[in-house]
Amino acid sequence: MNKRRVIYEGKAKILYEGPEPGTLIQYFKDDTTAFDATKKAVLDGKGVLNNRISEFVMTHLTSVGVPNHFIRRLNMREQLVRKVDIIPLEVVVRNIAAGSLSKRLGIPEGQSLPRPLVEFYFKNDALHDPMVSEEHIAAFGWATAQEYDDIIAMALRVNDFMSGLFAGAGIRLVDFKIEFGRWFENDHDMPRILLADEISPDSCRLWDAKTGEKMDKDRFRRDMGGVTEAYAEVARRLGIIRESGEETDNVIHFTGGSK
Ligand code: ADP
Ligand code: UDP
């Protein structure tokens, strides 16, 4: 196992070659970065929590028919996923104004949006992930018109489902970033679009429904402290870990199969 080939090492995760063709092992590091990696820290236990939280969300999304890369969790820090060709877009869905939206348009942080907004950013660190429109996506061939429609529909379904999931845990889903990829099932010609990467407090804004307290990566970005503790509280409220911090064994409760 130690001789596994590293396919890619990013800021928060390492991708290893998986045990079967078409699979990868996604390893969650404790490394945390913000502001184009100009701010860095190692947060003890963060990777373990994000592995569990992402497993939980992806498995539930599978159960409601949102196709995604997750196959199974392997251990505390690793999960087996389907290898996809990542579409070079960061897809952001927003329910409440915050972060770059507030900064760019002067909309006060915390103001509810009249409807969910879907935004696209070109995934390119050197260019600082610039915002792009449907026109850019079509002109530069990052996604076909059909893929673009699928991505928007899936992003909104993910938003609806996750908003309910977190609301049930007393948490407001303010916004989040997701990524998609093309999956060539059995080498068929037509790829399917799968949700990939991770869904965790690193990639979502999560506010306590009663107090408005931040339970996500903004605690790191804004030097608020208590980052891992907040992530653990998210995991506790979702029923992934117990009060004591120990893991629960039953991550999901659904009757459908897990394709
Ligand atoms: P970054 O690349 O921004 O530093 P990470 O450290 O999270 O981010 O690296 C994980 C990388 O793996 C991301 O670039 C993401 O696009 C990519 N990725 C996520 N899921 C898959 C997958 N199923 N197949 C191939 N690549 C993936
Ligand atoms: N986000 C992310 N990775 C990025 C940029 C944003 O996961 O590289 C998430 C971020 O955590 C937030 C949402 O996307 O939940 C919207 O982020 P925003 O555009 O407000 O940018 P930020 O304030 O993070 O710069």
Side-chain angles (χ1 to χ4, degrees):
M1 279 305 251
N2 294 332
K3 290 269 188 292
R4 281 183 323 205
R5 195 157 72 92
V6 174
I7 304 281
Y8 173 84
E9 173 154 10
K11 299 183 288 291
K13 298 190 288 293
I14 304 172
L15 301 180
Y16 294 98
E17 195 169 50
E20 296 135 40
T23 64
L24 290 176
I25 293 169
Q26 202 173 219
Y27 175 97
F28 287 74
K29 304 195 278 187
D30 284 341
D31 300 23
T32 305
T33 64
F35 313 123
D36 288 328
T38 51
K39 181 171 179 167
K40 293 182 192 172
V42 177
L43 298 170
D44 245 6
K46 185 208 68 153
V48 173
L49 288 162
N50 281 356
N51 186 24
R52 290 301 302 256
I53 294 170
S54 200
E55 170 194 20
F56 181 87
V57 175
M58 292 286 184
T59 314
H60 276 82
L61 285 170
T62 299
S63 76
V64 296
V66 177
N68 65 76
H69 73 161
F70 183 83
I71 301 172
R72 66 174 182 279
R73 186 167 60 88
L74 300 172
N75 56 48
M76 299 274 278
R77 287 188 185 271
E78 295 178 328
Q79 47 183 251
L80 185 66
V81 300
R82 294 183 181 91
K83 182 180 186 167
V84 299
D85 292 341
I86 290 286
I87 291 174
L89 296 170
E90 303 208 329
V91 181
V92 169
V93 183
R94 303 178 184 273
N95 299 302
I96 297 169
S100 71
L101 178 81
S102 296
K103 219 187 247 166
R104 225 178 33 248
L105 304 181
I107 298 171
E109 198 157 84
Q111 187 170 304
S112 286
L113 299 171
R115 63 186 180 88
L117 292 182
V118 183
E119 299 174 342
F120 296 92
Y121 296 84
F122 179 44
K123 218 172 118 62
N124 185 316
D125 281 348
L127 299 175
H128 315 294
D129 300 341
M131 192 177 191
V132 293
S133 72
E134 183 179 358
E135 289 285 287
H136 300 99
I137 296 169
F140 301 117
W142 294 323
T144 64
Q146 181 63 56
E147 286 172 341
Y148 178 82
D149 288 347
D150 288 352
I151 286 172
I152 295 214
M154 279 169 73
L156 291 172
R157 285 182 66 204
V158 171
N159 184 47
D160 280 350
F161 180 77
M162 286 215 311
S163 293
L165 188 74
F166 283 112
I171 295 170
R172 287 213 288 171
L173 178 63
V174 174
D175 58 32
F176 62 90
K177 181 271 296 179
I178 47 181
E179 295 182 22
F180 295 89
R182 296 185 185 94
W183 182 52
F184 295 86
E185 189 178 13
N186 309 320
D187 291 329
H188 285 323
D189 292 337
M190 276 292 286
R192 262 179 91 183
I193 297 293
L194 297 189
L195 173 65
D197 202 52
E198 71 176 286
I199 296 184
S200 74
D202 267 5
S203 57
C204 302
R205 283 198 171 89
L206 304 169
W207 294 355
D208 182 280
K210 282 214 187 87
T211 65
E213 202 187 338
K214 297 186 195 311
M215 306 175 76
D216 57 61
K217 193 169 163 182
D218 270 351
R219 298 196 73 88
F220 171 69
R221 295 189 188 96
R222 300 179 191 192
D223 292 321
M224 298 169 75
V227 185
T228 320
E229 291 78 1
Y231 287 28
E233 178 61 17
V234 171
R236 217 169 278 129
R237 294 214 197 157
L238 292 172
I240 300 169
I241 55 176
R242 292 186 217 285
E243 286 302 317
S244 59
E246 140 208 5
E247 294 179 17
T248 57
D249 44 12
N250 240 349
V251 179
I252 56 153
H253 315 273
F254 71 92
T255 49
S258 57
K259 276 188 284 178

